[in-house]
Amino acid sequence: SAREVFGTMMCFGGSKNTAHCWVPGADLATRFKGEEQIPGPSILLQIAALLPARSQLLLEISERKLILMLEVNRAAEEHIFPIEEDFVEFVAILDENGLPLPQRQAFEFLDKHTLPHVPHTDHPISELEDQMEAVRNDPTSEGAVLYLEDDDGVIGLVKVKSSFYVKARRARETLKSQVLQ
């Protein structure tokens, strides 16, 4: 997120139990030297790389009091589906009340600011069961986040994992716990 604090634009980010703030353009590489593999600093370094010369983006985030939700994917970590290089994908945007913006608004905002995001498609509620079945039966994907919306906005977000991913992850974690005891 970003907010103007006493006339200075500040960025805020973190992961799980960590939170950091910084001034855009700050030398985070020096600040977090030796901590690049720790989730919080790793995420901040990835975010900061996306933000140089994006004062309009930060101003809009601040004025609208938005929180951008993202996922950092690191090649060095264990993945059921290996990845070649580190990358960031935005997955949702929360409003000032912490509620998700409707999918169309969120992804239009991300596209407007050329921010990388997960793929998305729109489907009527009548296709919900078919879409969930398609996600669960896909052996090439971890899963999908489904935005459930009505005319008033977002009802909720639901993460659906593919059956292949769930079984592969369970097998991996079971093996790790038995082999690495």
Side-chain angles (χ1 to χ4, degrees):
S1 192
R3 299 290 186 274
E4 193 169 323
V5 180
F6 301 114
T8 300
M9 187 60 72
M10 300 290 296
C11 294
F12 300 87
S15 173
K16 303 204 180 11
N17 296 323
T18 67
H20 296 276
C21 67
W22 71 97
V23 175
D27 181 7
L28 296 185
T30 299
R31 179 175 172 187
F32 294 117
K33 188 170 179 64
E35 299 179 41
E36 299 87 355
Q37 297 305 311
I38 298 172
S42 170
I43 289 169
L44 297 184
L45 291 167
Q46 296 264 356
I47 294 169
L50 292 171
L51 296 181
R54 290 184 180 249
S55 59
Q56 188 57 41
L57 166 65
L58 298 177
L59 187 61
E60 190 171 348
I61 291 170
S62 178
E63 287 174 350
R64 294 178 60 189
K65 299 178 179 158
L66 300 175
I67 299 171
L68 279 62
M69 307 297 291
L70 59 87
E71 181 175 73
V72 173
N73 295 282
R74 298 190 312 182
E77 303 223 340
E78 296 177 346
H79 295 279
I80 299 300
F81 301 100
I83 60 173
E84 300 290 321
E85 59 186 2
D86 295 355
F87 66 95
V88 170
E89 288 182 309
F90 289 87
V91 297
I93 300 177
L94 307 182
D95 67 15
E96 65 183 305
N97 297 311
L99 300 173
L101 294 182
Q103 174 183 275
R104 193 172 310 247
Q105 287 179 17
F107 291 104
E108 284 174 358
F109 178 91
L110 296 170
D111 287 340
K112 171 183 168 184
H113 294 287
T114 62
L115 294 172
H117 58 75
V118 295
H120 63 96
T121 56
D122 290 330
H123 300 277
I125 193 68
S126 61
E127 295 180 13
L128 179 61
E129 290 298 323
D130 291 341
Q131 290 302 315
M132 288 181 55
E133 185 176 339
V135 171
R136 287 190 178 125
N137 291 330
D138 184 356
T140 66
S141 171
E142 182 177 319
V145 174
L146 305 181
Y147 278 70
L148 304 178
E149 300 179 11
D150 64 11
D151 292 338
D152 296 325
V154 178
I155 297 169
L157 302 179
V158 179
K159 198 173 208 177
V160 180
K161 297 289 188 182
S162 74
S163 295
F164 174 84
Y165 174 82
V166 170
K167 292 172 188 171
R169 176 86 189 253
R170 185 179 309 133
R172 181 190 76 192
E173 295 305 313
T174 300
L175 286 171
K176 273 178 39 179
S177 70
Q178 297 306 310
V179 173
L180 300 176
Q181 279 188 2

